Amino acid sequence: MVKTKEENGQFVVYVRGAVAASFLTKSEAESFAVKQTHYPSQEETLITYN
């Protein structure tokens, strides 16, 4: 679980209750939080045997 909180003028990102990173702007913190929760989709490959 990822949370973003403003603390002492910085935006702190928590991942599973532990501090993961802190940023000066909210947009940077939110961008980081999205990256932490994004799982890349797996690509499907068609295999043909001749």
Side-chain angles (χ1 to χ4, degrees):
M1 189 162 129
V2 178
K3 290 186 179 182
T4 304
K5 290 185 181 180
E6 183 178 0
E7 296 179 359
N8 301 324
Q10 289 193 342
F11 294 91
V12 181
V13 180
Y14 292 89
V15 177
R16 295 182 182 158
V19 175
S22 62
F23 299 93
L24 296 177
T25 64
K26 186 175 183 178
S27 61
E28 287 178 317
E30 289 174 347
S31 176
F32 178 81
V34 168
K35 289 178 185 175
Q36 292 299 308
T37 58
H38 177 73
Y39 297 97
S41 60
Q42 293 183 354
E43 294 182 18
E44 292 184 20
T45 304
L46 179 62
I47 300 173
T48 57
Y49 296 99
N50 294 337

